[in-house]
Amino acid sequence: MKKAIAFMMAAAVCFSMAACGNNSAESKPAAGGADAQVSASETESTDTSANAEEAAGGEEQPADGKALIMATNAAFPPYEYYEGDEIVGIDAEIAEAIAKELGMTLEIDDMEFSSIITAIQTGKADFGAAGMTVTPEREENVNFTDVYATGVQVIVVPEDSEIASPDNLEGKMIGVQESTTGHIFCSEDYGEDHVQAYPTGANAIEALKTGKVDCVVIDNEPAKSFVEANEGLKILDTEYVTEDYAIAIAKDNEQLLKDINEAMAKLKEDGTIQSIIDKYITAE
């Protein structure tokens, strides 16, 4: 089975690939609907910048006090999702810890997963953190930080399904979230004609419940939330693929890449990152 391909993040923070859109209340594992937060002002004082450079001895430094804009798709629990009007989750907390380490504040911009890399490339966001898998294709468009988490793509089916493993997917209609690695892997393995992409993972699960697709391929953690919220579904024991999650940053922003990697190294060493992951993902 082929492995690898497609998208992830730019500018300073958080970590792990795939899910988002308008969902029925039954399909949602978490609440949603808040507007994206406003990005940082582009009219910073010239005097303030000059003073910061002088204090730093002329060396390039992270912009203390400034906001880092994180692009995400807040429909991917437990990595990013809404609690009321607030975006929470593993990526959100890791990004917040990174921003604090850099002496900056964090703002999160919620958008379609397929728009994250474009937002990074055009400067709308400093970095992307959305359970994004490191792939050769994505690395052509953005740089990735060091890996902060590992994700597993799994297969969700009705409890009475004849599908027992990836070997049974040939000729089936597979539901995925658009632009995620599940979308790319399945299209490569089984052909575009047998893959139906939806704006969010919840949309794909709804299609499964109504018989429009035979299964859904999605990351294991949101899959568990969806199955818990929807009776009659199960996750196959056989994994589809394992992938590494990292933060995506613009190709021309090497300083931010360096700063975030250094911050992540400290947060790994002092146990912060692992404690955040453990908070949301408990050992079975």
Side-chain angles (χ1 to χ4, degrees):
M1 180 170 299
K2 311 182 189 94
K3 309 275 188 269
I5 324 187
F7 291 54
M8 178 150 199
M9 304 183 257
V13 100
C14 296
F15 342 154
S16 199
M17 164 75 297
C20 237
N22 293 326
N23 319 317
S24 68
E26 184 180 6
S27 293
K28 280 186 181 178
D35 291 335
Q37 298 183 35
V38 180
S39 61
S41 171
E42 296 178 357
T43 57
E44 293 292 335
S45 167
T46 302
D47 292 339
T48 300
S49 298
N51 292 337
E53 281 189 36
E54 183 177 348
E59 296 180 4
E60 187 174 4
Q61 298 288 332
D64 288 359
K66 290 185 179 179
L68 279 173
I69 310 301
M70 165 183 160
T72 195
N73 178 238
F76 190 58
Y79 290 93
E80 41 269 321
Y81 60 96
Y82 281 99
E83 280 189 353
D85 291 340
E86 182 182 6
I87 296 175
V88 299
I90 293 172
D91 285 340
E93 288 203 28
I94 291 176
E96 183 69 45
I98 291 173
K100 184 177 180 180
E101 185 69 30
L102 296 178
M104 305 174 77
T105 60
L106 177 70
E107 295 184 6
I108 302 177
D109 191 353
D110 183 18
M111 62 186 68
E112 294 294 329
F113 186 83
S114 58
S115 300
I116 293 175
I117 286 183
T118 299
I120 294 167
Q121 292 176 314
T122 59
K124 181 180 179 182
D126 295 306
F127 67 94
M132 188 174 286
T133 305
V134 179
T135 69
E137 288 72 20
R138 287 174 179 164
E139 288 179 312
E140 292 178 2
N141 297 299
V142 293
N143 286 329
F144 280 103
T145 63
D146 297 332
V147 173
Y148 64 85
T150 299
V152 177
Q153 291 284 313
V154 297
I155 302 170
V156 180
V157 298
E159 290 180 343
D160 60 355
S161 175
E162 63 182 18
I163 298 173
S165 75
D167 295 335
N168 303 133
L169 295 186
E170 198 69 45
K172 302 297 184 182
M173 183 56 69
I174 306 167
V176 297
Q177 182 186 355
E178 184 179 12
S179 298
T180 63
T181 47
H183 184 186
I184 296 161
F185 293 151
C186 290
S187 296
E188 183 181 71
D189 289 342
Y190 304 105
E192 288 284 357
D193 292 344
H194 294 283
V195 177
Q196 180 62 55
Y198 295 91
T200 71
N203 293 151
I205 292 294
E206 192 63 31
L208 177 62
K209 290 169 57 182
T210 57
K212 294 179 181 178
V213 295
D214 298 307
C215 67
V216 170
V217 172
I218 193 170
D219 183 274
N220 185 53
E221 295 307 321
K224 289 191 290 188
S225 297
F226 288 132
V227 168
E228 182 178 354
N230 295 275
E231 292 185 8
L233 302 181
K234 67 179 182 180
I235 300 171
L236 297 184
D237 292 334
T238 307
E239 298 174 357
Y240 182 56
V241 69
T242 300
E243 52 198 357
D244 291 327
Y245 292 158
I247 293 172
I249 299 174
K251 286 284 189 181
D252 61 357
N253 202 343
E254 294 184 2
Q255 183 62 46
L256 182 60
L257 178 65
K258 177 178 179 291
D259 293 338
I260 290 181
N261 273 334
E262 290 179 352
M264 283 176 57
K266 293 179 182 178
L267 295 170
K268 286 179 181 179
E269 184 177 357
D270 68 15
T272 298
I273 288 179
Q274 190 59 53
S275 67
I276 292 171
I277 293 173
D278 290 344
K279 173 182 175 181
Y280 290 91
I281 303 177
T282 56
E284 296 181 349

